[in-house]
């Protein structure tokens, strides 16, 4: 799932080499921290947070296959 978020983020931003995803895995929860360049932060969040919400929905669907809860945090 880490690669899924990385792939989506790199497709959205201008500085794809600065995309970093950290994965924190517990028994039932998967936390992914997404870091991008400061100038690309708006592209990841989108208007009214719609792009970020769409990424979270896709992540939760992928995590449901593994019967886990997923959280996507966008870190500055």
């Amino acid at each position: 799932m880490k690669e899924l978020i990385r792939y989506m983020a790199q497709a959205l931003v201008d500085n794809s080499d600065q995309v970093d995803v950290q994965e924190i895995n517990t028994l039932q929860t998967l936390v992914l921290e997404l870091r991008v360049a400061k100038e690309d932060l708006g592209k990841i969040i989108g208007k009214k947070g719609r792009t970020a919400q769409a990424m979270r929905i896709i992540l939760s669907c992928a995590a449901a296959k593994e019967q886990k809860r997923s959280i996507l945090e966008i870190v500055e």
Side-chain angles (χ1 to χ4, degrees), residues 11-67:
L12 292 171
V13 299
D14 292 331
N15 301 320
S16 61
D17 57 330
Q18 292 186 8
V19 172
D20 182 39
V21 181
Q22 297 295 322
E23 185 175 293
I24 302 166
N25 206 349
T26 62
L27 291 176
Q28 294 180 347
T29 306
L30 174 67
V31 179
L32 293 170
E33 293 180 347
L34 174 62
R35 288 182 174 82
V36 295
K38 197 167 192 169
E39 58 270 8
D40 290 331
L41 196 56
K43 293 178 184 177
I44 291 293
I45 295 173
K47 285 187 178 179
K48 296 184 182 179
R50 290 182 183 167
T51 305
Q53 187 61 32
M55 290 175 73
R56 288 184 176 112
I57 289 170
I58 293 170
L59 178 63
S60 67
C61 291
K65 283 187 172 183
E66 297 181 10
Q67 298 177 345

